[in-house]
Amino acid sequence: MANRQSLKDLQVRLAERLTAARTEGASLSWLALEAGGGRFLVPLVQSGEIFPWASLQTVPYTKRWYAGVASLRGGLHGVIDLALLSGRLAASSATRTADRVTSESRLVSLHSALGVNAVLWIDRLLGLRNPSMFASVVERDPQAPAWYARRFTDKDGREWQELNLQALSHDPEFLAIAA
């Protein structure tokens, strides 16, 4: 008899949680990154693992933002320099990769569902962010790359660029790494 009551209590609790989840909706949250002095927001649902800096093998005849290939968890991943790709660091002023890597440098992988074995090389992680942390939002600039989404301003007046990694993974310029 006690088992029957426990099962009924469990069902009631589950029903309450499902109802609460439907009414609250999915909470949008981002991984906050810094690269080349710029602040970026990457949707958690589009990002994958975060790796410490790994040694990489350069690949000749590729675009400047394609830093090379790294072996991460036994798989080969293309390493994309977000500072160069986003234009936050001019290709002509970029120093050697070894000179720019710090103890805070990280590799953030694109979610496996996007179908691209790539990681973004960032200068440092800045934590998690949610919409309540921002004072204003500006819709996507039509002149910006297709993978740039909205721009946010936080309560301290700092600007953040949201990246759409799904759009990036389909961008012909991003997929054509040959120089």
Side-chain angles (χ1 to χ4, degrees), residues 30-36 38-42 44 47-53 82 102-109 120-129 160:
W30 300 280
L31 182 61
L33 319 169
E34 185 177 298
R39 292 179 190 84
F40 299 94
L41 299 170
V42 175
L44 284 176
S47 61
E49 281 188 75
I50 300 167
F51 298 95
W53 178 259
L82 183 57
T102 69
S103 61
E104 293 186 288
S105 295
R106 297 288 181 267
L107 302 173
V108 178
S109 69
L120 299 175
W121 166 20
I122 61 166
D123 296 333
R124 68 185 182 128
L125 288 170
L126 299 174
L128 297 175
R129 300 290 188 272
W160 297 80

Side-chain angles (χ1 to χ4, degrees), residues 77-92:
H77 292 73
V79 178
I80 311 306
D81 186 338
L82 183 57
L84 287 173
L85 180 66
S86 66
R88 296 293 305 180
L89 185 63
S92 60

Side-chain angles (χ1 to χ4, degrees), residues 147-165:
W147 45 276
Y148 268 37
R150 301 168 293 181
R151 290 192 62 80
F152 292 86
T153 303
D154 65 18
K155 294 174 182 177
D156 295 325
R158 295 177 296 218
E159 290 193 359
W160 297 80
Q161 176 64 59
E162 180 184 22
L163 302 180
N164 182 337
L165 297 184

Side-chain angles (χ1 to χ4, degrees), residues 6 8 17 20 24 26 49 51-52 72-73 80-81 83 95 97 122 131 146 149 157 163 168:
S6 295
K8 186 175 181 180
R17 290 172 87 183
E24 291 173 9
E49 281 188 75
F51 298 95
L72 304 169
R73 289 201 186 268
I80 311 306
D81 186 338
T95 57
T97 300
I122 61 166
L163 302 180
L168 178 64

Side-chain angles (χ1 to χ4, degrees), residues 127-143:
L128 297 175
R129 300 290 188 272
N130 64 50
S132 68
M133 301 171 116
F134 297 98
S136 67
V137 60
V138 176
E139 291 304 314
R140 184 186 172 283
D141 178 2
Q143 303 301 321

